[in-house]
Structure formats: C-alpha cells, structure tokens
Amino acid sequence: DIQMTQSPSSLSASVGDRVTITCRAGQRIANYLNWYQQNPGKAPKLVISAASSLESGVPSRFSGSGSGTEFTLTISSLQPEDFASYYCQQSYNTPLTFGGGTKVEIK
Amino acid sequence: QLQLQESGPGLVKPSEALSLTCNVSGASINYLNYYWGWIRQPPGKGLEWIGSIYYSGSTYYNSSLKSRVTMAVDTSKNQFSLKLSSVTAADTAVYYCATQRWSKGQWGAFDYWGQGTLVTVSS
C-alpha cells in the first residue's frame, strides 16, 4: 500500500495568510495526486486533481504542485471560507489511499 | 448535475451485515469514464477507500476489507450498493458514495460525492 503523509496535521492562520500543506507519498506516484477540502459535517470537495489542475469553480487562490513523492497545496490568501480540513489522495494504484488530513484553524 | 444519495440503516448490530445503496441521478451509471466508489470516515478520523465498481460489474476492493466487502451495480435502477459483513464497532463511520474518474486504464479523483450517511454498529 502507498502511504500518504501530510504535514502539518493542523495549523493556525489568519485571514490573508499564505498557507502551504505538504503531502508525501511512500513511493513515486507521478502526478496522480488529488486534494480535497472538507468542512465539518460535509462531504469532501475536490479542489485539485492530477497534482496541479484546479477544479472548475474553485478559487484561483488555491494551487497545487509537485510530482513523484512530494506535493504541496497552497492557499495564497486565506479566506474565512477556507478554514476546513484538507486531505491528499493518491490515485496511482489500489488500494487508493488518503493522507491523514490537515486542519486549518483560525488564529 | 450529477447527484448521489446514500440510503440504508443507520444502526447495525455487531456481527451482522451493513448494507447501503447509492442512488445516482443526473447521469447514467453506464458512463464509461467513471467507476463508482465507497469511502468511509470514522467519527473524528480520516478517509478510507472501501472499493469501487464499474457499470460492467468489475470491482476493486481495499485489501484491508476485501474479505468482508461486496459491491454490486444495478443499471436498471441507476444505483450501486455496498455490503460489509461481520461488522464491529470499528466499522462505525460516515459512509460516502462517490464518482471516480477513470480514463485509459488509470484512476482519477473522486469528483462527485453523496452527502454521507452515518452507520453506527452497536447492540
């Protein structure tokens, strides 16, 4: 199984801050890496697919980068609606696996 | 707009089977570029992929659950289902159904999700 490790597990930030979340894969996965945002009590929402492809309707302040084993999700200027949990997920092979999540909280 | 809706019992007794159905609307389950997946999330914890099924019935299951999981698709009803046998308290979770992109033999992201349904395993 491909282990996905996210860091940090939580962070505190203010509106307007630049935030970066890292995801490391246990083996090379090319660009088969997806990012999801999840608000409490809600289903996850796809924000970035294939490491860097912004999903339709997702604000351009979100961006993704990386290839191989190391990936990042960046929010360039944090907005109130961005305080949520974020998960990475590899779609390179089965079993499909998720990172442990990063909770972005208000400072 | 594609929509997914999970349904099934919210309470299951230990050692019994958990059965859920996902109703698909706004698209045909015969869509060639999707697998149809189940993901779960224990309260306060992260996401775990359970398995995915194609309209043809081809399945992929998480090896950690494989011996207890059965998925099926009903194209006439445009829905797919999950059965998890011999449940324990560790199977208590919110269960989501989702579409999974599939192209040229390669998995993609889960792009449409149901709202999720909480299943509690308790006597």
Side-chain angles (χ1 to χ4, degrees), chain B residues 74-90:
Chain B
D74 188 334
T75 56
S76 67
K77 295 182 178 179
N78 219 41
Q79 59 186 205
F80 60 107
S81 62
L82 167 70
K83 181 178 178 180
L84 182 65
S85 63
S86 304
V87 297
T88 69

Side-chain angles (χ1 to χ4, degrees), chain A residues 94, chain B residues 35 49-54 58-62 71 102 107:
Chain A
T94 57
Chain B
Y35 263 72
W49 173 70
I50 300 170
S52 299
I53 187 166
Y54 201 50
S58 172
T59 54
Y60 288 85
Y61 298 147
N62 192 324
M71 293 183 182
W102 171 260
W107 300 105

Side-chain angles (χ1 to χ4, degrees), chain A residues 26-38:
Chain A
Q27 66 180 70
R28 296 184 67 82
I29 59 170
N31 69 335
Y32 295 106
L33 190 285
N34 310 299
W35 290 98
Y36 302 86
Q37 176 192 64
Q38 186 178 34

Side-chain angles (χ1 to χ4, degrees), chain B residues 19-74:
Chain B
S19 293
L20 296 173
T21 297
C22 183
N23 188 65
V24 179
S25 60
S28 170
I29 204 164
N30 292 324
Y31 186 59
L32 297 179
N33 293 121
Y34 275 150
Y35 263 72
W36 305 89
W38 290 97
I39 300 104
R40 70 180 183 178
Q41 185 172 35
K45 296 188 178 181
L47 298 160
E48 179 182 32
W49 173 70
I50 300 170
S52 299
I53 187 166
Y54 201 50
Y55 78 96
S56 63
S58 172
T59 54
Y60 288 85
Y61 298 147
N62 192 324
S63 51
S64 67
L65 299 167
K66 189 174 184 177
S67 63
R68 299 194 291 130
V69 172
T70 304
M71 293 183 182
V73 63
D74 188 334

Side-chain angles (χ1 to χ4, degrees), chain B residues 6 11 15 35 46 56 66 87 89 95 99-100 104 106-107:
Chain B
E6 306 90 351
L11 181 65
S15 79
Y35 263 72
S56 63
K66 189 174 184 177
V87 297
Y95 286 76
T99 58
Q100 184 176 12
K104 299 177 183 177
Q106 181 59 53
W107 300 105

Side-chain angles (χ1 to χ4, degrees), chain A residues 1 32 34 36 38 42-44 46 49 55 87 89 91-96 98, chain B residues 39 41 45-47 49 60 62-63 96 100-101 106-111 113-114:
Chain A
D1 298 8
Y32 295 106
N34 310 299
Y36 302 86
Q38 186 178 34
K42 300 294 187 182
L46 178 64
S49 63
E55 288 295 305
Y87 293 90
Q89 176 246 330
S91 53
Y92 183 73
N93 65 13
T94 57
L96 307 169
F98 291 84
Chain B
I39 300 104
Q41 185 172 35
K45 296 188 178 181
L47 298 160
W49 173 70
Y60 288 85
N62 192 324
S63 51
Y96 296 101
Q100 184 176 12
R101 295 171 182 170
Q106 181 59 53
W107 300 105
F110 295 100
D111 54 1
W113 295 65

